[in-house]
Amino acid sequence: MFSLALGLFVFCVSAAEHHHVKAKTKRISLEVHKKLKLLNKRGVKTIKSEDGDIIDCVDIYKQPAFDHPALRNHKIQMRPSNHVQNDHNSSQLVSQIWQRSGSCPDGTIPIRRIRKQDLLRATSLENFGKKMPVHSSYSPTDDKGTVYINSTRVELGPQVNRSAAILLTTGYNYIGAQGDINIWTPRVESPDEFTTAQIWLKNGPGEAFESVESGWVVNPKVYGNGATRLFVYWTKDSYKSSGCFDLTCPGFVQTNKDIALGMVLGPVSSKMGPQYQTTFSITKEPSTGNWWVRIGQNVPVGYFPGELFYYLTRGAATLVEWGGEVFSSKVKQNHPHTATGMGSGDFASGKLGNACYVKQVRIIDYSKQLKYPEWVGTYSDEEYCYSALNYALSLAQEPVFYFGGPGRNPPYCP
């Protein structure tokens, strides 16, 4: 009799658990469906790329940016009014695999379709497409990212869940920056990690800074594989709650119908083989407060609207950075350290043909002239894991900034 009662009890518990799991699965499925409907705007044309990604050609006036409350009455600026005159011709043609399969019609923009499996890889639907936050609370022993530029102390803020190797300059009136960034495909060890090579323009307090960014990224969690992709990113609160990659949240306004954010970028460089690079540029228009992103031979992609920011809109950038970052919970004295590579996966000392580089480093101030920064400094969180080197063969030559590394390499970076 006891065994029968026990059996009935176990059956009832199992049935209850099954019902609970089924209800939870249904709820998650509904939430994912709702999120997909919000993210994926109806396109007038669909293009299936050879690499498996799908492009939707969406009416430029119906893109995700205009779901942002601050942009409900925003008027699209179709093209930048100011022209940035490159002082060199070293930028190479950027290509994307999807372009071989078709093109979007006038009046539309290409948007990489987000699929169910993309959302299910995220830690939560709210965090999809976002960087790990830079926490506002930290102990006195935490790395505050301190660097000296021409005897001026600069604190980058707490460097949490990230390791960087960067060239930087600080001032009060940077309305633009650019650089020719070498393109590679470094290894990413875990699906919840990613690595970038990029430009940042920042303003605001170290623990709540605003930033506009562009470059290339390898991010399996967001994009589904280890390919190198074009990206933009923004935040107004040091990644805590605002901003995202590309168009995965409202914000960035795209205007180019031929370049798709988040799509595979190429060709990529190889060790001691052909080297490929392209120019990444971010510039502000004082009349609108919009921060325009250009790539290649001065080709506008779109802009970060001034309505998104406070410091970057009312003023200019006070800090510009060029280089790479690895985002992982397995950095900063955590053993084993991540084996996710930065740049080419080689240290900066490898220089041309081995290490990733940024050439033709430039800033723009209110003189509206491209120029090499008056003062620069280099910074590396973990020099035995990822290094930074601003190198020139002679005083007569302009330096080339090299950066990167393999991450874990015992005994130096165990």
Side-chain angles (χ1 to χ4, degrees):
M1 187 73 175
F2 174 76
S3 60
L4 178 61
L6 179 62
L8 287 172
F9 173 76
V10 170
F11 173 79
C12 290
V13 170
S14 298
E17 288 180 348
H18 176 72
H19 177 74
H20 175 73
V21 170
K22 190 175 180 180
K24 183 178 180 181
T25 302
K26 185 177 180 180
R27 186 180 74 253
I28 292 174
S29 180
L30 288 172
E31 290 174 353
V32 167
H33 177 74
K34 184 179 178 180
K35 184 77 170 180
L36 287 173
K37 191 174 181 180
L38 182 67
L39 287 171
N40 294 319
K41 305 301 182 182
R42 185 182 296 276
V44 301
K45 179 180 178 180
T46 296
I47 300 171
K48 293 184 178 179
S49 177
E50 296 172 12
D51 58 4
D53 279 332
I54 297 174
I55 287 289
D56 292 311
C57 301
V58 176
D59 186 323
I60 193 171
Y61 293 100
K62 296 179 180 178
Q63 61 181 294
F66 302 114
D67 290 337
H68 195 290
L71 302 178
R72 294 285 165 81
N73 298 315
H74 180 83
K75 183 178 179 181
I76 295 182
Q77 183 182 2
M78 289 299 184
R79 60 187 59 84
S81 58
N82 59 339
H83 178 75
V84 178
Q85 182 63 49
N86 284 348
D87 57 354
H88 62 286
N89 295 308
S90 60
S91 187
Q92 295 166 329
L93 182 67
V94 176
S95 64
Q96 293 184 311
I97 293 175
W98 76 272
Q99 295 166 338
R100 299 200 290 254
S101 302
S103 61
C104 285
D106 292 340
T108 70
I109 60 166
I111 302 181
R112 177 182 176 272
R113 184 182 297 180
I114 307 300
R115 288 181 274 192
K116 182 178 180 180
Q117 59 264 36
D118 296 324
L119 295 183
L120 294 178
R121 286 192 300 269
T123 53
S124 69
L125 293 182
E126 292 74 24
N127 290 333
F128 175 71
K130 296 182 180 295
K131 290 187 178 183
M132 302 175 192
V134 175
H135 300 292
S136 59
S137 61
Y138 57 96
S139 72
T141 59
D142 283 342
D143 179 12
K144 299 185 180 79
T146 302
V147 62
Y148 289 87
I149 302 175
N150 189 31
S151 301
T152 300
R153 179 186 174 96
V154 180
E155 283 196 2
L156 303 176
Q159 312 299 296
V160 182
N161 291 329
R162 66 185 278 274
S163 192
I166 56 175
L167 179 77
L168 65 160
T169 189
T170 186
Y172 301 99
N173 61 347
Y174 301 122
I175 59 171
Q178 71 180 41
D180 297 343
I181 301 180
N182 196 199
I183 302 173
W184 293 84
T185 302
R187 175 197 178 198
V188 173
E189 182 181 43
S190 302
D192 59 345
E193 301 175 343
F194 63 88
T195 180
T196 72
Q198 61 175 99
I199 297 175
W200 300 254
L201 288 98
K202 298 179 177 179
N203 197 344
E207 294 176 44
F209 60 80
E210 298 176 348
S211 179
V212 287
E213 310 170 14
S214 185
W216 59 255
V217 63
V218 180
N219 189 338
K221 175 168 277 190
V222 171
Y223 303 112
N225 60 27
T228 301
R229 297 170 184 266
L230 169 69
F231 84 93
V232 298
Y233 201 101
W234 67 276
T235 181
K236 66 175 183 179
D237 58 2
S238 64
Y239 312 121
K240 291 184 182 69
S241 61
S242 64
C244 61
F245 281 102
D246 310 329
L247 307 180
T248 56
C249 72
F252 187 81
V253 176
Q254 183 165 338
T255 58
N256 193 302
K257 75 179 187 68
D258 300 314
I259 297 172
L261 297 170
M263 295 297 281
V264 177
L265 189 66
V268 298
S269 305
S270 58
K271 298 288 180 69
M272 297 310 294
Q275 299 298 297
Y276 298 99
Q277 65 186 43
T278 196
T279 304
F280 290 89
S281 170
I282 305 177
T283 56
K284 181 183 181 181
E285 290 206 337
S287 60
T288 62
N290 298 332
W291 290 85
W292 275 89
V293 174
R294 296 173 173 88
I295 64 169
Q297 294 285 0
N298 215 7
V299 179
V301 177
Y303 59 90
F304 304 99
E307 293 95 323
L308 298 176
F309 308 105
Y310 178 83
Y311 298 102
L312 285 172
T313 299
R314 286 157 179 79
T318 57
L319 183 67
V320 181
E321 303 171 11
W322 300 259
E325 273 190 331
V326 167
F327 278 75
S328 170
S329 60
K330 297 185 292 182
V331 296
K332 308 293 179 59
Q333 308 303 317
N334 288 329
H335 298 157
H337 192 282
T338 180
T340 289
M342 180 194 295
S344 69
D346 261 5
F347 287 109
S349 57
K351 301 190 187 78
L352 186 62
N354 290 298
C356 190
Y357 61 75
V358 184
K359 293 181 178 180
Q360 299 291 331
V361 166
R362 295 288 183 270
I363 56 92
I364 307 173
D365 57 22
Y366 283 112
S367 70
K368 298 183 180 179
Q369 299 297 313
L370 283 168
K371 61 182 75 172
Y372 191 86
E374 184 176 3
W375 302 104
V376 295
T378 60
Y379 172 78
S380 175
D381 295 84
E382 305 172 294
E383 60 183 348
Y384 295 111
C385 308
Y386 312 106
S387 61
L389 174 66
N390 204 29
Y391 176 78
L393 281 172
S394 69
L395 293 175
Q397 289 187 315
E398 184 174 293
V400 175
F401 178 62
Y402 295 98
F403 66 94
R408 184 169 67 246
N409 63 107
Y412 306 106
C413 182

